[in-house]
Amino acid sequence: MVKVFQAADATDLVTELRRSFDDGVTRGYEWRVTQLKKLLLICDNHEPEIVSALHDDLGKPELESSVYEVALLRNSINLAVKQLKDWMAPDKAKTSLTTFPASAEIVYEPLGVVLVISAWNYPFLLSIDPVIGAISAGNAVVLKPSELAPASSSLLAKLLEQYLDSSAVRVVEGAVIETTLLLEQKWDKIFYTGSSRIGRIIMMAAAKHLTPVVLELGGKSPVVIDSDTNLKITAKRIIAGKWGCNNGQACISPDYILTTKEFSPKVIDALKQELEAFYGKNPMESKDMSRIVNSNHFDRLSKMLEEKEVSDKIVYGGQKNRDKLKIAPTILVDVPLDSQIMSEEIFGPLLPIITLNNLEECFDVIRSRPKPLAAYLFTQNQKLKERFALTVSAGGIVVNDIAVHLAVPTLPFGGVGESGMGSYHGKFSFDAFSHKKAVLYKSFIGDAAIRYPPYSTGKLRLLKALVNSNILEIFRVILGLS
Amino acid sequence: MEAMKETVDQSLREMRDTFASGRTRSVKWRKTQLEAIIEMVKDNEDKMCDVLFQDLGKHSIEAFRDELGFVMRSATTALNSLDKWVVPRKSNLPLLFYPATGKVISEPYGTVLVLSSWNFPISLSLDPMIGAISAGNTVLLKASELSPNASALLAKTIPSYLDNKAIKVIEGGPDVATILLQHQWDKIFFTGSPRIGKIIMAAAAEHLTPVTLELGGKCPTIIDHHSVSKDMKSVVKRISGGKWGSCSGQACISVDYILVEQSFASSLIEMFKPVIRSFFGENPKESGCVARIVTKKHFQRLSRLLNDPRVQASIVYGGSMDEEKLYVEPTILLNPPLDSEIMNEEIFGPVLPIITLRDIQESIGFIKSKPKPLAIYAFTMDEKLKTRILSETSSGSVTFNDVMIQYMCDALPFGGVGESGMGRYHGKYSFECFSHEKAIMEGSLAMDLEARYPPWNNFKLTFIRLAFREAYFKLVLLMLGLKR
């Protein structure tokens, strides 16, 4: 009989983890590295089970599971283990004449007890990657995986309990009720991956306790295709980044394409050609794509396709099978800009192409929508690249490729505006779960009388000189010459 | 109110249009604004000292040291560093991604809101604005209505020095703040109390607006009298100067209470008395060097804290109050009850409780039992104690052997943790505070790896596995057909 998670359980959980944290369990380098290495063991010893759970939950092909979840996690853990000593070391800071004689540094300290709420589309990656950050930074952590990927959620619960120190790392499975109970507690940080709608709810709950948050949300990531690009490679990369990544159900999935009216037919042809090369003439039978996660999302996507003025814009695909939760890779051209499919994040295998008279117009189209998590551009035009990078506001920009920036640990991964706040990956994960404490060391040498009342004109002059770091003036005042 | 709503709508529209035009992105524009801020403060130094005297009774030296001088230096630093700050940072990419390149550029959030506090109304308004402007944002300032003269001066002066289609000032109290918070901002910067901080963050949540909250707390000061005995006079001077010489204890980083060993307590109190007299004379009220309490409401709050009979009984120095002049004498308490209000809320006034412990090591546990403060001060030369303080307590910052000056060190981030706030600023951190760090990655269309694409097979799977592990040698073997 499964015990129901109640309010008292949430309180007890946080109390227990806080005690562990206060006792110093998670602070030491040894503990952190040991936990990270245990996570590595999970990847090494249980990959087949992980692949199987992901197949159960999402129909995810083995390669995607192995590469985009397990391998990425392995890399993330290895990097943390390798760099942790460096990351934990204080940073020296420069002091100035006004604070002389003093030395200063920035000390990294864990925030305490943190909550990680992850999503259903990359349930292992999006659960463990933030946990890697939390542990490296020395926190105690509670993970709440998504209930929409139940096999993954229960495997995560089982493996983390088996391998990690349960006095400081715990998994709570559940849905809205359990999440709400958790959110009522006071956390030292909340890390959430999911939708903008829930992101608001998380931040509002966090506000009650002044808990800082990282919100990794989503948006409609546009792909702008210039006519000077290598179309074959462009098409392949878009397909691999869209249908090849959980069948379009990813936060940085190419959501829609912007290209010129003139170039559009070539783009469509290239996509059709490569889609067939990747998935064959019968993509509904291909085993190389995830299925739609559940019937709710299937119906949501169906509705998008069935909308008036949209259904007649399909130029490729459009087949659906509700029993198998499959929708074929579908391309549409020039659906109305206010249609559902162009108003909300698609998160599925549908790819609208919006054609423009002039590629220039892409900037206005993108700017008229909420800021996305990623924006993509395919071009050889250096000026266009620079203008795009400078003026398109998105979490991250990728030129001439799709989604790869997610795998680069030296680039901060996060959103802006509706697509989120905060970032992680590599050292950014460590920073996300740390407080950078400023420390100033002062000695008793040199106690300037100018600091203290009673105040006088001479003191004011010296003060002004100090503020202007005007050495000459300082000497003159001290020597009474000013 | 309708008129105010209209004003806010209009202002926001104008600021957004200005931002969209790209004008604030240019480094030249930003520098011009920063220079204008310096000029504005220089030209209006006397007027600013006047309003600070009117609103808070600040002496002009205090005004210059804590506010005007500070702002000018902050703007100068930004001016001198801006060219460096705006340069994109190259990121090293793993070999796997060759020949792709990566970098991070700092992009302004857009249109930001700065809500400042009444205790340092000039610097807490202009300093965040310096950050917002350096980062290329348009900004709206609402200063506190509790420092009305400073607020009015800023509202009047800023438009004649700064680009008023990009930088605006609105005056008003909570009702104006409420209207402002109903709108979507790209960032909100708030300085004030934790209670209001929660309201700000909740309002920001509606629009997914990132926030920096500079809040407060009870900043403890540990005096390890064993290790600083020969410098004790300096210790007392520094604490006194910091507590009573800066807005009369009404500062977020003010020394809130002292922790010291029982055996030294009475000597300590005896050392404070002559120092206070030397700073403020026999009658501090007449010295002109003690700021007054900002409003009657705050005066009454402090009154209430002191009127608790058990707290009254603990007064060992000072204690006199003058409601008409909004004056509270520099006051020292010895061991007020730990459950009294004065020991459980941020004092924000010229009252200094001394709490005694049997052993100074107990100070760690004492501090940990309270919410995380903005600053911890510790006077000690004992390296072991320093280490314990650093590793066992948590606070925005820690300063050893002085008070308040961490504020002046702009190489250090200034901000809180837990109840004392989130986010930080000063120096380069101000620029970062108002910037979105955008990752830019550029791939090459020249080279392409077949293994990246479906249909999947074992070869591709092995290839990618090896590539991810950066097992390049094995990868080469695989490609040469020499590896299974």
Side-chain angles (χ1 to χ4, degrees), chain B residues 451-466:
Chain B
R452 288 184 57 166
Y453 308 115
W456 303 129
N457 55 44
N458 274 329
F459 172 86
K460 290 184 180 180
L461 181 54
T462 313
F463 182 98
I464 295 183
R465 272 219 181 92
L466 292 175

Side-chain angles (χ1 to χ4, degrees), chain B residues 121 142 152 179 247 301 310 410 417 435:
Chain B
K142 191 199 82 65
I179 295 175
C247 209
R301 179 183 64 81
R310 304 173 301 161
D410 60 17
V417 65
S435 302

Side-chain angles (χ1 to χ4, degrees), chain A residues 137-265:
Chain A
N139 299 277
V141 50
V142 172
L143 165 68
K144 216 282 310 155
S146 170
E147 70 280 12
L148 297 189
S152 302
S153 173
S154 86
L155 183 59
L156 275 163
K158 179 177 134 212
L159 291 176
L160 265 79
E161 199 195 338
Q162 193 183 330
Y163 282 81
L164 300 187
D165 178 353
S166 54
S167 75
V169 182
R170 297 278 263 280
V171 180
V172 173
E173 292 196 78
V176 178
I177 295 178
E178 287 78 6
T179 308
T180 309
L181 290 176
L182 288 172
L183 287 172
E184 281 165 11
Q185 300 300 313
K186 177 173 152 71
W187 302 92
D188 297 303
K189 184 114 187 187
I190 296 176
F191 187 107
Y192 168 74
T193 307
S195 72
S196 308
R197 188 179 69 86
I198 306 293
R200 286 173 160 80
I201 296 174
I202 305 277
M203 189 170 169
M204 207 149 321
K208 296 206 177 77
H209 298 286
L210 288 171
T211 298
V213 299
V214 171
L215 304 175
E216 297 273 331
L217 311 175
K220 293 181 77 62
S221 299
V223 186
V224 177
I225 303 180
D226 191 1
S227 53
D228 70 354
T229 189
N230 177 328
L231 204 42
K232 190 174 165 83
I233 292 183
T234 301
K236 286 164 85 168
R237 289 180 183 178
I238 290 174
I239 296 168
K242 176 131 181 146
W243 294 283
C245 285
N246 209 30
N247 207 5
Q249 300 163 105
C251 50
I252 45 170
S253 206
D255 190 278
Y256 66 100
I257 289 178
L258 290 167
T259 192
T260 58
K261 287 196 180 340
E262 212 188 314
F263 198 57
S264 167

Side-chain angles (χ1 to χ4, degrees), chain B residues 100-112:
Chain B
T101 56
K103 61 186 177 184
V104 179
I105 71 178
S106 299
E107 163 185 278
Y109 277 119
T111 297
V112 309

